[in-house]
Amino acid sequence: MLLELASRCETVFDSRSQTPSAVRSRVLGAWLHLGAILFAFILCATCAGVPNVAAQKVQLSVDVSKGGVKIDRNIFGQFAEHLGHGVYEGIWVGPDSAIPNTRGIRNDVVAALKALKVPNVRWPGGCFADEYHWRNGIGPVAQRVVTLNPNWGGVLEPNTFGTHEFMDFLDQIGAEAYISINIGSGTTREAAEWLEYLTAAQPTTLAKERAANGHSAPYKVAYLGMGNESWDCGGNMTAEYYLSQLRIYSRFVRNFNPAQDKQLMLKIAVGPGGGEPRWTDWTEAIMRAYQHHQWSWTMDGLSLHSYTVVKWPPSFRSVGFGETEYAQILKSTLDMDDLITRHSAIMDRYDPQKNVALVVDEWGSWYAPLPGSNPGFLVQQNSMRDAILAALNLNIFARHADRVRMANIAQMVNVLQAMILTDQERMVRTPTYYVFKMYVPFQDATFVPVAFEAGTYEHDNIKLPRVDAIAAKDKTGRLWLEVTNVDPNQPVEIEVNLTGMTARSAAGETLTAARVDSVNTFDAPNTVAPKPVSAKAEGGRLVLRLEPKSVTVVSVEP
Ligand code: AHR
């Protein structure tokens, strides 16, 4: 086309033998033609929907012969707190609801979550956990105590969703229980009795009460959280005070059914909430106590809470934002890597065998509440930016798989960076939901190192790695590759170089959207949804072409 333009210009200016008016009309005609060509060129690029920019090239090397550690499926865990519509309406509608349900639990939400193969759900909080009294949530529903939820909007807590309803919900979605006990405002006896009620196989009075309430077999509690944010809403404790409580609770709060499934209940202590010195001091104190065996139990995990907020209080909008806020949030979320590295280094000093997992049991984006919503309900939209954010964090966890063996995104439904949003009988899957779905093949897969020069995406003086990637082999030996193109404007061409395998093709799904703040709404639920993607090796080269701001997961076929 450019050659054609050049030759046209030559024709215009080689006009000495023409009369002035003929020349003028030829010149005019040529310019009109030139304009038409340019117009067609612009139109063509727009119609095709392809960004009018050249793809950046990135070489990605994967040594398939090198197997790393397992990416524990528990890093895809969820968190469901009694907060806003996270439980009530989001999960629980009650058996008499017109919304289709099974024993009060929404069928649509269960079906959507089943597809994510959710490994575990953390419940009942969060801050709520340290004010939760389990006996309020058992027995005939009509007789349940109604309390308040002072942490989250001061609303009534009907206690209609309690221990049995939570366990039923887990059964329906196929997940394991991660229960946080009340160390802040409860008693050791209360927590010990809850565990006896849940797990005792022998006919104790509490086990019989459980049976009378509909479950004769003991429940399995796979993970036990020893309080929540005990340095803040869990009781404003110092590390020393928390450790003194931990010694007492760890002595008396038992799993009474340890033989079940041959799996012990893994116990997770409250860990740090950030990277500043006070948090490193907290990690030091807990890990030092662990090393000196200051209690009569094994500590299986240390929790870490870290939200992407840029600064408190959360003020970034979850929808209707531009590229600068996109870049700021993603820059901030990448701090997770440094945070994990720093706390892991402390843990390594006290636990070089890595027996204690770092459990990132609250993470995700935290934005300003949606206008018009109850600020205590932490309602936010979930955009293409959140999908990228989720992928970047999951990749960080996978790269730290030797220490990070569990993580719980906050939160599962209707709260913060949710998988699912509901409004009465309507439900929508968020972009984050789709990322979790696309990552299912990485659950318990073996990490395979990937080498690449990420390049740089820059906006408003904010610099970010242009691409991110992980690879893993699943149980059948199949190689999976995830590549995130952070750049919201430029496509990227990934040349995959494999050692130990010859790739013939790749196929999977890609998630992208028109804008960085594209969201799924109840009226337009499929604005951000994955679409199939595939590539064939040509001349021994496997090249993946990724759209701007996209998350792509493919399996590589030999
Ligand atoms: O997820 C919302 C809240 O954030 C949790 O209740 C608390 O643990 C954290 O501060």
Side-chain angles (χ1 to χ4, degrees), residues 518-535:
S518 291
V519 296
N520 290 337
T521 64
F522 297 107
D523 295 324
N526 299 316
T527 306
V528 190
K531 53 188 185 185
V533 66
S534 62

Side-chain angles (χ1 to χ4, degrees), residues 108 127 168 200 231 257 270 323 363 365 367-368 371 375 391 438 479 513 533:
D108 53 354
C127 296
D168 188 10
W231 28 262
N257 192 22
V270 168
E323 191 173 339
W363 69 275
S365 58
Y367 305 124
M438 289 160 69
L479 181 70
V533 66

Side-chain angles (χ1 to χ4, degrees), residues 270-288:
V270 168
E276 311 112 59
R278 71 178 174 126
W279 299 122
T280 52
D281 289 352
W282 182 282
T283 301
E284 287 272 357
I286 310 289
M287 291 307 296
R288 197 179 309 118

Side-chain angles (χ1 to χ4, degrees), residues 79 81 83 126-127 152 228-229 305 307 362 366 378 410-411 416:
F79 173 33
E81 180 168 12
L83 194 176
C127 296
W152 306 118
N228 169 76
E229 297 194 354
H305 288 185
Y307 287 94
E362 285 189 30
W366 191 327
L378 311 186
Q411 298 194 7
L416 299 175

